[in-house]
Amino acid sequence: MKKRWKQKLLSILIPILFVIGMIGSGLNVQTVQAAGTTGASQTNAGEMKVHFLDVGQGLSILVQSEGKTMIYDGGDKKTSSFVVAYLKDQGVTKIDYLISSHYDADHMAGLIGCLNAFDVKHVISSNYVHTSKLYKSFVKAVKSDGLKMQHPKVGKTFSFGSGSFEILAPSKIETKGSNNNSVAIKLVNGQNSFVFTGDAEHESEAAMCASGIDLSCDVLVPGHHGSATASSWDFLQKTVPEYAIISCGKNNKYGHPDKDTMDKFQSMGIQVYRTDKQGTIVAASNGTDISWSAEACNDYTPGDEEDQGTQPAGTSSGSSTAAGTTASAVSGNSNNTAIAGDASTEQVWVSATGSKYHRINNCGRMNPNNARQETRAQAEAEGLGPCSKCY
């Protein structure tokens, strides 16, 4: 009897002593979440700050969370010293993830300065070779730090501070051009999420839409500085952002952002921040809410005042009077109190599939090219309910 009691006691004590031994030896014991639950299920996430730096006609984003630091692109050579100085002002001494979306100068040059100024742990970049001297300087700087350029596949997820980030693109490498080779990521902190796409254009966006990855986000940095070659309807309907951050230079020679893109944002009621109008912008996420260093400017004017867009009035570009009027209601103007009138006469928009009816044909949760109109009474008779975004 006494022997059995001792055996039972030892069976309880041995696992406890084993855990204590591991803690004493400095071995970290981590709880691993099931795939697909990282970030989104962390409703009590810690703080994450996302800094959208004003680097003129370029892109640079600093992310900080629980002592971890990420830099996504670094702007042009002439703003490299500003990027390094800004990071130092934020208390940065090491960079856990340095991400080069692609090797165009206005995205990569400042990263060389970061490699020289900070202790970099990991470098993520696109898997192609550029012919520029700047690219060679970047590769040299990576090697001199004893690092390797990592090219993770689409769907690969990394823990970061109180959240995580997932690789969205590129799914393939193009031999001509470099924009569609951009590394795109979705950054998640609790219930908040951000999508960065570098200079990814329509072709890469289509691949992201077809990937099966959840692209929905609170904040989108549109591809290619708000160019019309990015921000396709399909992509915007997958991401459905509440905010768009346009990183571009004041009076830039490219006319960024383009009118077509800004018309889409306005018609969908997406609030807009612009570095060319507002300078550096900072978003702080606590996992549930996002607070901002400034109010959204909601300036939907194109970079080129003479840009008339490519969509004629009355199409799904959002340039028609009806779409513009409704967009004002979505974005919070006084019209948003005018909800439905008589259900038998009020016209709503419905798609070929889906369980909702919509106030407008391009609110971001349906394809405007496949939309049709009918009365609200007809839609409700079909079992459709109101869209939570545009109603």
Side-chain angles (χ1 to χ4, degrees):
M1 184 78 176
K2 190 180 289 186
K3 186 176 180 180
R4 280 201 300 264
W5 182 83
K6 286 182 178 179
Q7 288 175 336
K8 189 174 181 180
L9 181 62
L10 285 173
S11 68
I12 297 171
L13 288 176
I14 287 173
I16 296 173
L17 292 171
F18 178 71
V19 172
I20 293 172
M22 286 195 299
I23 295 171
S25 64
L27 182 63
N28 290 323
V29 181
Q30 294 182 329
T31 301
V32 180
Q33 288 185 301
T37 63
T38 302
S41 65
Q42 298 173 7
T43 55
N44 296 318
E47 184 180 66
M48 181 179 287
K49 282 190 175 182
V50 185
H51 309 246
F52 304 92
L53 277 60
D54 178 13
V55 289
Q57 185 61 23
L59 178 66
S60 185
I61 304 170
L62 165 67
V63 187
Q64 297 173 293
S65 179
E66 297 188 343
K68 301 294 183 180
T69 301
M70 173 198 299
I71 184 77
Y72 180 96
D73 285 350
D76 208 341
K77 186 176 181 179
K78 59 189 175 185
T79 58
S80 177
S81 58
F82 161 72
V83 172
V84 170
Y86 186 92
L87 266 61
K88 288 182 176 179
D89 285 345
Q90 301 305 314
V92 174
T93 57
K94 69 178 176 67
I95 296 175
D96 297 279
Y97 291 99
L98 182 144
I99 302 177
S100 174
S101 68
H102 64 304
Y103 305 125
D104 286 0
D106 59 324
H107 292 253
M108 183 184 64
L111 294 179
I112 299 173
C114 290
L115 283 162
N116 294 330
F118 302 102
D119 176 20
V120 177
K121 301 299 184 183
H122 302 282
V123 175
I124 293 175
S125 62
S126 189
N127 192 16
Y128 74 103
V129 175
H130 203 283
T131 58
S132 69
K133 291 181 179 179
L134 194 64
Y135 169 77
K136 293 177 181 178
S137 297
F138 178 72
V139 173
K140 183 179 179 181
V142 171
K143 288 183 177 179
S144 65
D145 278 0
L147 300 168
K148 290 185 178 181
M149 295 161 63
Q150 303 172 42
H151 314 302
K153 293 182 179 180
V154 169
K156 174 70 174 177
T157 301
F158 299 82
S159 294
F160 178 77
S162 60
S164 63
F165 66 93
E166 183 175 10
I167 305 297
L168 303 179
S171 59
K172 66 177 182 178
I173 297 297
E174 292 188 357
T175 55
K176 294 182 179 180
S178 59
N179 288 346
N180 279 322
N181 294 336
S182 293
V183 175
I185 69 170
K186 179 176 179 178
L187 176 70
V188 175
N189 187 50
Q191 297 175 351
N192 301 140
S193 54
F194 305 74
V195 169
F196 310 152
T197 61
D199 274 351
E201 299 181 332
H202 292 162
E203 294 81 3
S204 180
E205 290 178 344
M208 285 186 258
C209 290
S211 70
I213 297 174
D214 178 13
L215 302 178
S216 62
C217 61
D218 297 296
V219 181
L220 171 68
V221 180
H224 206 189
H225 319 285
S227 167
T229 60
S231 301
S232 63
W233 275 117
D234 287 343
F235 188 66
L236 292 178
Q237 287 156 13
K238 288 286 188 179
T239 53
V240 199
E242 185 173 354
Y243 303 96
I245 315 294
I246 311 289
S247 181
C248 62
K250 191 173 184 179
N251 301 320
N252 67 84
K253 64 181 180 181
Y254 306 102
H256 294 159
D258 286 357
K259 186 178 188 300
D260 285 350
T261 299
M262 301 311 288
D263 281 349
K264 291 174 185 176
F265 294 156
Q266 186 172 25
S267 70
M268 290 176 65
I270 299 171
Q271 298 191 59
V272 167
Y273 285 90
R274 295 174 55 158
T275 60
D276 62 332
K277 304 286 185 179
Q278 299 172 278
T280 295
I281 300 150
V282 182
S285 160
N286 63 10
T288 303
D289 302 307
I290 299 175
S291 57
W292 297 87
S293 60
E295 295 289 333
C297 68
N298 292 333
D299 186 338
Y300 299 98
T301 59
D304 179 0
E305 294 180 357
E306 297 181 1
D307 182 0
Q308 297 299 309
T310 61
Q311 302 296 322
T315 68
S316 61
S317 68
S319 58
S320 69
T321 303
T325 301
T326 311
S328 297
V330 175
S331 58
N333 290 340
S334 58
N335 290 339
N336 67 351
T337 57
I339 309 284
D342 184 352
S344 63
T345 59
E346 181 196 359
Q347 293 292 304
V348 297
W349 290 93
V350 298
S351 61
T353 60
S355 60
K356 306 294 181 183
Y357 60 82
H358 306 260
R359 182 190 296 275
I360 55 177
N361 71 337
N362 50 8
C363 78
R365 293 187 175 170
M366 65 184 298
N367 187 336
N369 297 322
N370 298 330
R372 72 177 191 278
Q373 276 191 300
E374 60 186 33
T375 66
R376 181 163 62 91
Q378 288 175 310
E380 290 175 347
E382 294 167 7
L384 305 181
C387 168
S388 60
K389 180 177 176 66
C390 60
Y391 267 95

